[in-house]
Amino acid sequence: MSGPGPSTLEEKRDALLRLRLRRRREEALAQGASPAPPGERPPGSGRQAASPLVPLVHAGSKPPLFLVHAAGGSVAPYVTLAALLDDDRPVLALEDPGLRDGVAGERRLSDLAAVYLAAVREVQPDGPLHLGGWSIGGAVALDMARQDGDVALTFVLDTALPGEPSRPGDDELRRWFAADVAAMGVEADDAEVARRFPVFAANVRGLLEFRPSRVKGRVVLLWAGDTSDTRDTRDTRDTEGAEALGRWRAYADEIRTVPGDHYTMLRPAHAEALADVMRDRLSEVNVR
């Protein structure tokens, strides 16, 4: 994706962090190994399929935090947040393999959760997990917690649970995709759209069919408090958001409002406040 160059100090810092993340991932793929240490390849074996895990913070003695991508599949939105969380806790993000391999048809979020859980348990075979995800990633993280059964804490970052199942067509999904890209503040050329739209469409359709379950361990919903929107759909969006928030009360142990809207909550202006809450909840779990 390409867009206007960064202008403010915060934007330049964020762009540098994203560049470092991309280089880290390219180096890991070039070496033919997982970014995290699940084990060495047997001598003479062919190149392994790349792990969906991307390390954002490598070092730390505390249990790692695993963050699942949103609808677009990229882990780049987590770069700023990960740097603010905890110097002594590894943070690894899960990137959608569809960005690399393509997406063939539709898929269930529970199937994606199973793939990610296997990758996570290669890195952390024993002990309770700490999971999280923004947007659609929150639903995937919740299902990972359901499937594993040994998850101490799951962060759900502004994930809207659907009411009744729905199946939007490609034209509608393309409009949603264009709005999502615009809200992220980037521009996509034709090649990027061709690569990223199938991932977005598969994830959105998966969420619209998703039905959550109550899980073991603590579930903390961090809800973006700023719902302001200058578009004509503001009232509808606010109503839908309130309904989605209400649906979470059956599955979340705690619901906490944090600064920012759905997109800005992870950006430098608000990420520190989000990181503060997450650090507090992680420390509470660790001392129990």
Side-chain angles (χ1 to χ4, degrees), residues 181-234:
V181 169
M184 293 291 289
V186 295
E187 296 178 359
D189 58 24
D190 290 345
E192 282 292 288
V193 169
R195 183 169 73 96
R196 293 179 178 273
F197 173 71
V199 171
F200 176 89
N203 287 329
V204 170
R205 284 177 172 141
L207 178 66
L208 293 175
E209 296 290 336
F210 177 72
R211 289 296 170 267
S213 301
R214 186 75 185 183
V215 302
K216 296 180 181 178
R218 187 166 183 79
V219 176
V220 177
L221 171 64
L222 300 176
W223 195 254
D226 183 4
T227 58
S228 62
D229 195 325
T230 59
R231 289 170 289 183
D232 294 338
T233 57
R234 180 183 59 193

Side-chain angles (χ1 to χ4, degrees), residues 53-68:
L53 286 167
V54 179
L56 303 182
V57 176
H58 289 265
S61 62
K62 297 177 181 177
L65 173 65
F66 300 94
L67 298 173
V68 183

Side-chain angles (χ1 to χ4, degrees), residues 25 50-52 69 71-74 94-105 107 112 115-116 192-200 202-203:
R25 178 162 183 77
S51 169
H69 61 81
S74 171
L94 289 143
E95 184 172 81
D96 197 312
L99 292 177
R100 180 184 65 249
D101 303 327
V103 176
R107 62 187 180 189
L112 201 59
V115 171
Y116 292 166
E192 282 292 288
V193 169
R195 183 169 73 96
R196 293 179 178 273
F197 173 71
V199 171
F200 176 89
N203 287 329

